[in-house]
Amino acid sequence: APVEVVASGGKVTGLKAVRMELGEPDASGRRRPVPVVGSEHVINADTIIPAIGQVIDPGFWDSLGGLGQTRRNTIESDKVTYATSIEGVFAGGDAVSGPATVVEAVAAGKEVAESIHRFINGMDLAENRPYKYPENPEYPPIPEELKSESRAITPEIGVSDRKGFKEVELALAEEEALREANRCLNCGVCSECMECVKACPAQAIDHTMEDA
């Protein structure tokens, strides 16, 4: 874990770090990392790029009063309209989902803008909005007569050969590829997981259609 940025003459010279180990289980049974006493050491460096994640500072919306929050200390908002518990206030992006991708934040921003437009013009916030994906899709049962079959394991090059930019995972042999392709796909019956919608760049799949 990083402890301190080391500098000399106004320039970065290294990063002081401490080794970590798993501590005793807490009430939930989770073992959290704790510092190893006396393990401080300096990693020499002339450039340091912080990339250790983000946390949300709820100080601003705490002052609003009445703004619903999740147990993760993020803003609680509707998954379709992005409306919060305060009328006329909408929220999206990392403040709602927690740290995620830029693409997800931009998408949320567009939906929030749509909701603000509708709110100002007295329109229905949810009408014809993107389909709300089911949170717990029901998967079809697998016939009892089918026996379980292990997935084919993709071969990899040895650890000693992985220096440089060699591809670690290799292709399946033809026999293995055919066996994998012939495995039962009964669980592949549509269960509204919406992965096909995400994967289709032409946006040609619409699960909101009655005959879809």
Side-chain angles (χ1 to χ4, degrees):
V3 175
E4 176 187 346
V5 174
V6 182
S8 178
K11 295 183 178 181
V12 171
T13 60
L15 180 70
K16 181 182 288 186
V18 59
R19 291 187 176 85
M20 309 290 286
E21 64 180 2
L22 292 176
E24 295 299 319
D26 58 17
S28 67
R30 181 179 179 183
R31 299 177 63 190
R32 299 183 181 277
V34 295
V36 176
V37 178
S39 67
E40 292 84 358
H41 58 287
V42 176
I43 302 171
N44 296 326
D46 55 18
T47 302
I48 296 176
I49 302 174
I52 55 175
Q54 304 174 33
V55 292
I56 297 170
D57 180 4
F60 170 70
W61 59 71
D62 279 346
S63 64
L64 295 178
L67 186 63
Q69 299 180 33
T70 70
R71 60 183 181 181
R72 298 171 57 202
N73 291 324
T74 58
I75 300 174
E76 191 173 37
S77 68
D78 185 87
K79 293 182 179 180
V80 173
T81 67
Y82 293 81
T84 68
S85 56
I86 300 178
E87 186 180 10
V89 177
F90 304 88
D94 290 9
V96 171
S97 65
T101 66
V102 172
V103 173
E104 290 172 289
V106 172
K110 288 185 175 182
E111 293 298 329
V112 167
E114 174 67 20
S115 288
I116 293 173
H117 168 75
R118 293 188 181 204
F119 179 80
I120 292 174
N121 290 280
M123 302 165 63
D124 189 303
L125 297 179
E127 185 179 3
N128 296 324
R129 295 298 287 274
Y131 177 70
K132 187 174 182 180
Y133 301 160
E135 296 184 0
N136 299 300
E138 294 185 5
Y139 293 89
I142 298 176
E144 295 182 1
E145 63 270 17
L146 288 176
K147 63 178 182 179
S148 177
E149 226 178 300
S150 301
R151 296 177 62 179
I153 299 175
T154 305
E156 300 176 350
I157 62 175
V159 176
S160 60
D161 296 325
R162 297 181 186 181
K163 295 179 181 179
F165 295 94
K166 292 182 180 179
E167 188 169 354
V168 174
E169 291 189 348
L170 307 176
L172 291 173
E174 182 178 357
E175 181 182 344
E176 285 287 282
L178 289 172
R179 185 179 67 82
E180 187 71 4
N182 283 317
R183 290 174 66 217
C184 171
L185 293 179
N186 190 72
C187 60
V189 177
C190 181
S191 56
E192 300 280 345
C193 71
M194 300 300 162
E195 289 303 312
C196 59
V197 176
K198 297 177 186 177
C200 180
Q203 298 183 342
I205 303 171
D206 186 357
H207 278 255
T208 64
M209 297 174 63
E210 292 183 2
D211 57 348

